[in-house]
Amino acid sequence: MLKGTLDMMVLRTLVTGDAHGHTIAKVIERTSEDVLEVEQGSLYPALHRLEDRGWVSSYWGTSENNRKAKFYKLTDFGRKQLVNETNRWRKMARAIAMVMGENVLTHDELPQGGKL
Amino acid sequence: MSRVLDSWRKLFHRAHKDAELSEEMNSFLAEETAENEARGLSPDEARRQAHLKLGSPRRVREDVWQQNSFAFLDGLWRDVRYAVRTLSRSLGFTLMAVFVVALGIGANVALFTVVRSVLINPLPYRDPGKLYTIYQRGPKAAASPDKEHFMPVDAGSAQEWRENVGSAADLALICPWRQYNVSGQSGQMPEQVDAAWVSANFFPTLGVQPILGRPFTESDDSPSANATVILSNGFWKRRYASDPGIIGRQIILDARPYTVVGVLPASFVYAGSLTGNTNQVWVPVMHEIPQELLHIYNDHEFVVIARLHQGVTLNALLDQLGALQAQIKIRHPQGGVHEGASGRSMLDDSVQDYRKSLYVLLGATCCVLLIACLNVASLLVARQAAREREHAIRAALGGSALRLLRERLTESLMISLSGGILGLGLAWLAVAWFTGARQDMNRIEAVHIDGMVFALAAGLILLCALFSGLVSAWSGRSRAIMGVLQQASRSQNSGGAKAGLRRILLVLEVGLTVVLLTGAGLLLKSYQHLLKVDLGVPIANTLTLGISLPDGRYKAALQQVQFFEQLIERVRSVPGVSAAGLVTAAPGQGWGADRMMSVVEHPPLAKGEGYDIMARGADPGYFAAIGLPLIRGRLFTADERLTRDHVVLISERTAKLLFPGEDPIGRHLRSELGGDIYEVVGVVGDTRYEVSIPMQATLYWPIYGNESSAATIVVKSSTDVNTLAMPIQRLVASMDPDLPVANVMTLQETIARSTVASQFSSVLIVAFALIALLLSAAGLYGVLAYLVTQRTSEIGIRIALGAQREKVLRQMLLDGLRPALLGLALGLAGSVAVVRQIQSMLYETEPLDPAVFAVVAVTLLLVAGFACLIPAWRASRLDPMRALRSE
């Protein structure tokens, strides 16, 4: 997985609602049709990193299986960061695509920031 | 902010956070395992897969911890613990280093506290930067520009200044050297208090508001007003038990009732340079001052306080007042009127007596701190050398240079920090002691340790840590690792480079020590001169007591005369008294009074010229009591005390000055003040009015003829004079229970009091110099002892090969003494430059006193020689076999 994209995907996952670690990993894997797998030992450092930066906040709650679990919630600041990260990632993806000779949208056709 | 707090919480609740993370991961594992089982895996396999997915929990925990913003601090904490462990392993070294730093930092912090509180902090008045103290330019201003610039102002000029200054400034008047007898009321003892006469605008000009009552008004400040008084806070507290009902009450000053209208705040002191902070009662000047004094222009009694108005500079004001003064001089051509005005900020004015000595002391403490730093650096360098092998191995194993540097800095920081904390404690004690010992110093009550001082201490600690840490790190830099490892197994000379660095540190240390020693030597010599100073009279067994008769009760001159007559007769009959007399001011008791005189028989001097002669009133018994010899002529007769026959005695110096080569007896002196003419009837010995001031020309007139209401009783005893103080005070009380006796002191105490400042500076500097000497000796000893251990096997081989032990001894001694000699030379050269700065603090001592320099050089060589002798002797006694085996 590309460096830094895990953080972005975690944030994106949380847009739809608060979730605990296991759900976050599952959602990423399922929505990528199991192409992307959250690497061993990288999820929790990422979550704590995001919390340290104030992009997510956390609280203890009960999971759907009635287990005690720590839930993560996207903060307003995190939401802003997600927009930035997404824009940056789109530029990057487009640049890589151009290098690889793919057909890409022109600059004006790019979806603008803030529309997720 | 909350994030920082959060991080802190994480740092200190590491265990808690860690447990939380473990629990979080467990819940992940549980979810994943359950999911895997639901997919049909066996429970064991389901758990294994879940663990595989999560990765190593320990690793995750490490990673999470690592990205904490305080991971750096965590590393630091580890370093600190490591440093404490290594330092505690060589406890002697550590304690020594900590103590050295504590001394350096403690002395600096204490002195800085005093310097800041006394010399730098603004005066406790409103907008103190606009306040200036204005004087007249003294008569010698033109001849010697830095002396006698600041003459008190005469009442006449001061009045004219105030009337004509216009809009440039507010001018307030103060005559701070008055005294009153406060009568005992309701059973209290009478006492004499220091007082000040002030103009009504004095307190408003400073911006000081009484805490009780009101300031003086213009209507208080007039001859016809009711007598009013304002009390200092301390006096109100002490004598009236902080009675809030004091306002409106009457107190008796000099047997006249005064209504108390105000009490000043505790924070208020008048920071006048000549009186200290002792003024306790304040009265309006115009109510007190004899009206004729307002029209006299050569009786200098007042200090003028100016608050400059917006846009006015001190020089502009001084020019304006100088112009006024020039006109006054034209209108009053008789002597004693000075031209021009001088002024300085009120702060400068109040502390100028101490500025120099405090800065010199601060310089000395900086020297001590520098020496302490050099010493710690040198100790660390030595230890560094001992641990070189360990470090080389660690470097070879991949330990980063930065890491090693950090370790060393942590170590020196630990030493400086402990030293600094101990030093703050020492500083606190030192400040408490200092404020107790120097009550004579203006503003001493304002001395306190504050946040700024803590900031300074922190700065010094950091500086000290950086200096010693970096020097020792520098000494360990760029040593080829392999070289060290190879050399370390054949230990000869491996410490050469480091020993070189230590020698440089030592040379600097010895140099600084020498500078301190010379300064200390000079001050000590000067202090001894002061102690040995010849007052002109024997000082043993002489007691002085001050009595001031209130004008109110002893109105007629005759009453005063009769009182003193009776008193002195009775004093003479007190058992143990061998002689007693009266004088206005005894030797060593200060300026007293002076007069401009000219000789009637000589050609007249230019207008305004005259001889400035100290003037004393005395009774015939005084000369025997104080021990002043009669050299020519005769003393006063009994009736000359009562009549105003205009006879004077002059001192030898006066005779030489006024009548060179003539017989002064029968000649006449004219006072430039009133024009009175006096016949010289005798010549007596010389005395000094102040210990540190050379003999001055003096004249004596009969004390009662001068209508003085104040006198000093001088009592000589054949036995211990201290036992006479009580009987004489009882005697006075029996004659007038309302009459206070002030300043009961032996002549010895008087001298001790006037030498306290000089004693203080010299004692402190000597203490600092001794500390420096001790540190240098320790440094010299340390370097040589280290060299000996380094070269043990080499020396062993040389002795085994037949080298003479004396030769070994001599060589090791030379090795140690070389840096000492170099430092001595450097220090002596430095001293020559530095001692000129303390010239003004010296009394009858030249800054380049060869004896002091010689004593310093010899002392240093002796101490250095002794410090080197021990390791050198040890080297020469080495058993060659054991030395070689120790390899």
Side-chain angles (χ1 to χ4, degrees):
Chain A
M1 205 180 289
L2 253 160
K3 196 169 160 51
T5 50
L6 177 61
D7 290 4
M8 181 179 70
M9 288 190 294
V10 169
L11 291 177
R12 179 67 184 83
T13 313
L14 291 176
V15 168
T16 53
D18 304 353
H20 54 82
H22 188 252
T23 316
I24 295 170
K26 277 276 138 357
V27 167
I28 291 175
E29 285 169 17
R30 298 238 171 92
T31 47
S32 69
E33 293 174 343
D34 289 334
V35 174
L36 296 174
E37 199 171 327
V38 178
E39 277 170 57
Q40 265 196 13
S42 63
L43 176 67
Y44 284 99
L47 281 169
H48 282 255
R49 186 163 56 238
L50 292 174
E51 194 181 0
D52 248 16
R53 291 181 193 158
W55 296 4
V56 302
S57 57
S58 68
Y59 57 91
W60 285 92
T62 320
S63 75
E64 48 277 25
N65 300 324
N66 264 335
R67 285 193 185 86
K68 199 181 163 209
K70 199 174 181 188
F71 281 75
Y72 291 87
K73 177 185 173 65
L74 195 59
T75 64
D76 288 345
F77 185 55
R79 214 173 283 276
K80 251 179 240 150
Q81 291 303 321
L82 177 57
V83 174
N84 292 345
E85 294 286 309
T86 314
N87 285 341
R88 205 165 56 212
W89 173 77
R90 280 189 181 138
K91 270 186 199 143
M92 175 67 77
R94 182 169 168 270
I96 294 172
M98 286 196 294
V99 171
M100 300 308 288
E102 307 278 328
N103 281 330
V104 290
L105 300 171
T106 62
H107 183 79
D108 293 337
E109 290 159 337
L110 267 177
Q112 289 308 297
K115 294 173 201 152
L116 286 166
Chain B
M1 193 63 215
S2 70
R3 280 185 53 215
V4 174
L5 280 178
D6 194 48
S7 290
W8 272 108
R9 231 174 286 128
K10 274 184 195 156
L11 180 69
F12 291 109
H13 300 283
R14 182 175 186 177
H16 172 73
K17 277 278 161 193
D18 214 36
E20 210 180 70
L21 181 59
S22 295
E23 196 179 342
E24 200 181 352
M25 287 190 292
N26 283 339
S27 95
F28 179 95
L29 286 174
E31 294 276 349
E32 184 70 24
T33 310
E35 209 167 277
N36 287 347
E37 277 183 39
R39 285 212 320 255
L41 294 178
S42 73
D44 280 353
E45 183 59 15
R47 201 172 307 121
R48 205 180 70 84
Q49 290 288 342
H51 273 281
L52 270 180
K53 190 163 169 94
L54 180 70
S56 152
R58 170 184 289 269
R59 177 79 199 280
V60 170
R61 274 155 58 197
E62 285 274 308
D63 285 352
V64 168
W65 179 250
Q66 274 302 322
Q67 67 195 23
N68 191 305
S69 31
F70 276 88
F72 165 77
L73 270 185
D74 187 52
L76 194 67
W77 177 232
R78 224 170 351 194
D79 278 357
V80 167
R81 274 181 307 184
Y82 179 73
V84 167
R85 257 204 317 276
T86 39
L87 285 176
S88 61
R89 229 177 283 145
S90 42
L91 203 62
F93 155 82
T94 308
L95 288 183
M96 165 90 179
V98 165
F99 185 65
V100 163
V101 173
L103 272 180
I105 290 184
N108 268 279
V109 167
L111 247 293
F112 177 76
T113 303
V114 174
V115 164
R116 194 173 118 79
S117 308
V118 173
L119 300 185
I120 297 168
N121 274 354
L123 293 168
Y125 309 141
R126 173 171 53 84
D127 198 3
K130 289 249 181 274
L131 289 171
Y132 291 85
T133 312
I134 312 292
Y135 294 94
Q136 283 179 347
R137 287 167 79 86
K140 291 160 195 153
S144 54
D146 28 306
K147 273 185 194 147
E148 297 233 28
H149 252 58
F150 300 97
M151 258 317 248
V153 183
D154 59 274
S157 301
Q159 277 297 98
E160 293 199 27
W161 288 5
R162 292 188 68 201
E163 282 157 17
N164 296 302
V165 70
S167 61
D170 293 331
L171 296 187
L173 268 180
I174 176 168
C175 176
W177 30 79
R178 312 302 310 181
Q179 284 187 330
Y180 285 96
N181 292 333
V182 184
S183 295
Q185 287 166 296
S186 51
Q188 279 174 313
M189 287 289 289
E191 69 177 301
Q192 199 176 68
V193 293
D194 287 335
W197 293 349
V198 292
S199 56
N201 67 339
F202 178 78
F203 293 114
T205 299
L206 295 188
V208 171
Q209 183 70 29
I211 52 158
L212 278 184
R214 57 170 178 85
F216 294 127
T217 60
E218 291 296 338
S219 56
D220 294 325
D221 195 16
S222 109
S224 57
N226 292 323
T228 49
V229 60
I230 287 179
L231 307 182
S232 80
N233 199 281
F235 187 60
W236 172 60
K237 220 176 260 172
R238 175 169 64 76
R239 196 166 170 102
Y240 302 102
S242 305
D243 177 8
I246 189 84
I247 304 299
R249 259 174 55 191
Q250 289 194 327
I251 65 172
I252 311 294
L253 299 180
D254 280 0
R256 284 188 301 260
Y258 283 73
T259 307
V260 177
V261 298
V263 174
L264 294 169
S267 60
F268 175 79
V269 288
Y270 168 64
S273 63
L274 293 160
T275 55
N277 302 317
T278 54
N279 299 107
Q280 298 183 310
V281 301
W282 305 75
V283 289
V285 55
M286 290 306 155
H287 185 266
E288 300 295 296
I289 192 170
Q291 287 305 295
E292 63 270 21
L293 210 64
L294 292 177
H295 308 293
I296 292 179
Y297 286 80
N298 51 10
D299 194 21
H300 302 271
E301 292 263 27
F302 286 90
V303 176
V304 175
I305 306 289
R307 178 177 285 283
L308 295 189
H309 287 167
Q310 201 59 44
V312 180
T313 64
L314 174 64
N315 280 337
L317 177 68
L318 291 181
D319 286 348
Q320 194 186 346
L321 295 180
L324 275 173
Q325 198 57 32
Q327 294 170 15
I328 293 171
K329 196 173 166 76
I330 293 169
R331 273 187 281 119
H332 299 276
Q334 71 274 31
V337 174
H338 300 314
E339 266 179 80
S342 7
R344 54 192 162 195
S345 82
M346 217 174 152
L347 178 60
D348 279 355
D349 187 60
S350 64
V351 297
Q352 41 111 8
D353 295 351
Y354 322 112
R355 184 178 297 272
K356 190 99 194 182
S357 61
L358 282 182
Y359 277 131
V360 165
L361 282 177
L362 192 63
T365 57
C366 282
C367 257
V368 171
L369 181 65
L370 205 56
I371 290 174
C373 278
L374 287 170
N375 223 304
V376 172
S378 158
L379 286 167
L380 279 175
V381 170
R383 250 167 52 89
Q384 169 54 27
R387 285 164 54 191
E388 190 154 78
R389 190 148 181 222
E390 174 208 330
H391 282 174
I393 292 172
R394 282 176 58 184
L397 292 177
S400 81
L402 206 65
R403 172 98 213 144
L404 289 178
L405 173 68
R406 209 170 98 175
E407 241 176 62
R408 215 156 302 150
L409 279 178
T410 317
E411 241 173 56
S412 67
L413 187 68
M414 292 309 292
I415 291 176
S416 316
L417 199 64
S418 330
I421 292 168
L422 191 63
L424 269 178
L426 288 180
W428 186 75
L429 288 177
V431 166
W433 172 75
F434 190 105
T435 47
R438 288 307 299 274
Q439 284 299 323
D440 62 308
M441 201 179 261
N442 271 339
R443 307 194 72 200
I444 196 76
E445 70 294 323
V447 171
H448 64 285
I449 293 183
D450 58 8
M452 188 66 189
V453 170
F454 279 106
L456 172 89
L460 287 181
I461 289 168
L462 271 182
L463 220 67
C464 192
L466 272 181
F467 178 79
S468 40
L470 286 181
V471 165
S472 87
W474 184 76
S475 80
R477 92 216 178 283
S478 76
R479 308 268 299 158
I481 294 165
M482 285 320 287
V484 171
L485 287 177
Q486 280 168 4
Q487 265 186 8
S489 59
R490 297 179 277 112
S491 67
Q492 283 83 346
N493 290 330
S494 73
K498 236 147 262 108
L501 179 65
R502 290 196 71 187
R503 281 203 196 96
I504 294 173
L505 294 178
L506 254 184
V507 168
L508 290 177
E509 206 177 316
V510 171
L512 282 173
T513 305
V514 168
V515 172
L516 267 183
L517 278 174
T518 9
L522 288 172
L523 287 173
L524 202 62
K525 182 162 182 183
S526 146
Y527 173 54
Q528 275 179 332
H529 277 179
L530 265 186
L531 281 189
K532 274 191 282 185
V533 77
D534 182 15
L535 266 189
V537 295
I539 57 168
N541 290 328
T542 309
L543 185 73
T544 60
L545 306 92
I547 285 184
S548 171
L549 294 181
D551 296 343
R553 189 169 306 167
Y554 300 85
K555 272 198 189 71
L558 194 63
Q559 277 177 301
Q560 300 181 0
V561 171
Q562 277 169 349
F563 177 83
F564 278 123
E565 283 280 86
Q566 277 183 26
L567 176 63
I568 207 76
E569 280 315 312
R570 293 198 199 176
V571 167
R572 284 196 183 111
S573 59
V574 170
V577 171
S578 57
L582 290 166
V583 70
T584 46
Q589 285 186 339
W591 185 268
D594 62 337
R595 282 293 157 86
M596 283 293 221
M597 290 289 189
S598 58
V599 181
V600 174
E601 283 83 2
H602 288 180
L605 300 165
K607 269 224 178 302
E609 295 281 308
Y611 297 99
D612 184 24
I613 301 189
M614 304 302 295
R616 299 284 182 264
D619 80 338
Y622 166 71
F623 300 94
I626 198 75
L628 265 184
L630 175 70
I631 290 158
R632 309 181 63 114
R634 61 172 177 87
L635 295 176
F636 304 125
T637 61
D639 20 313
E640 276 165 348
R641 284 177 292 165
L642 294 163
T643 59
R644 303 190 67 189
D645 271 346
H646 291 128
V647 290
V648 288
L649 298 171
I650 57 175
S651 70
E652 264 191 294
R653 191 162 293 252
T654 321
K656 276 196 201 108
L657 181 73
L658 268 57
F659 306 100
E662 299 171 60
D663 182 2
I665 308 294
R667 304 270 165 154
H668 294 81
L669 300 181
R670 183 193 297 112
S671 164
E672 292 296 312
L673 183 61
D676 286 352
I677 291 176
Y678 301 87
E679 185 191 344
V680 177
V681 295
V683 179
V684 295
D686 281 312
T687 66
R688 290 170 197 259
Y689 70 85
E690 205 171 300
V691 174
S692 58
I693 291 171
M695 302 269 187
Q696 292 257 319
T698 311
L699 68 80
Y700 301 86
W701 46 55
I703 186 164
Y704 306 140
N706 198 35
E707 284 177 3
S708 173
S709 60
T712 298
I713 309 172
V714 177
V715 177
K716 191 76 156 190
S717 167
S718 46
T719 58
D720 181 10
V721 80
N722 280 303
T723 58
L724 295 175
M726 273 319 287
I728 295 176
Q729 284 183 59
R730 249 182 255 128
L731 193 74
V732 175
S734 73
M735 291 175 66
D736 182 345
D738 269 351
L739 198 63
V741 178
N743 298 324
V744 182
M745 287 206 290
T746 64
L747 219 45
Q748 266 155 336
E749 285 167 341
T750 306
I751 290 169
R753 185 184 277 194
S754 57
T755 52
V756 62
S758 158
Q759 177 198 18
F760 189 77
S761 318
S762 44
V763 164
L764 268 189
I765 298 238
V766 167
F768 292 147
L770 288 181
I771 291 170
L773 191 61
L774 219 69
L775 291 181
S776 298
L780 279 168
Y781 172 83
V783 165
L784 211 63
Y786 166 71
L787 273 181
V788 171
T789 29
Q790 281 293 304
R791 296 170 60 184
T792 300
S793 56
E794 178 212 329
I795 295 166
I797 291 172
R798 283 172 53 193
I799 291 177
L801 292 178
Q804 281 173 323
R805 288 179 188 273
E806 293 76 55
K807 217 173 159 190
V808 172
L809 179 73
R810 203 176 321 128
Q811 207 202 326
M812 293 307 296
L813 257 182
L814 275 181
D815 247 17
L817 281 178
R818 209 173 296 129
L821 281 172
L822 215 64
L824 179 62
L826 212 70
L828 288 178
S831 300
V832 172
V834 168
V835 291
R836 296 202 179 278
Q837 298 301 314
I838 61 168
Q839 190 155 12
S840 68
M841 289 170 70
L842 298 179
Y843 174 75
E844 287 188 358
T845 308
E846 278 302 305
L848 296 180
D849 188 299
V852 169
F853 275 72
V855 168
V856 166
V858 170
T859 310
L860 190 100
L861 285 181
L862 280 178
V863 171
F866 193 70
C868 295
L869 195 63
I870 301 166
W873 190 79
R874 209 184 293 141
S876 72
R877 295 292 112 190
L878 270 178
D879 174 1
M881 285 325 288
R882 192 178 298 166
L884 287 173
R885 229 179 280 126
S886 78
E887 205 19 40

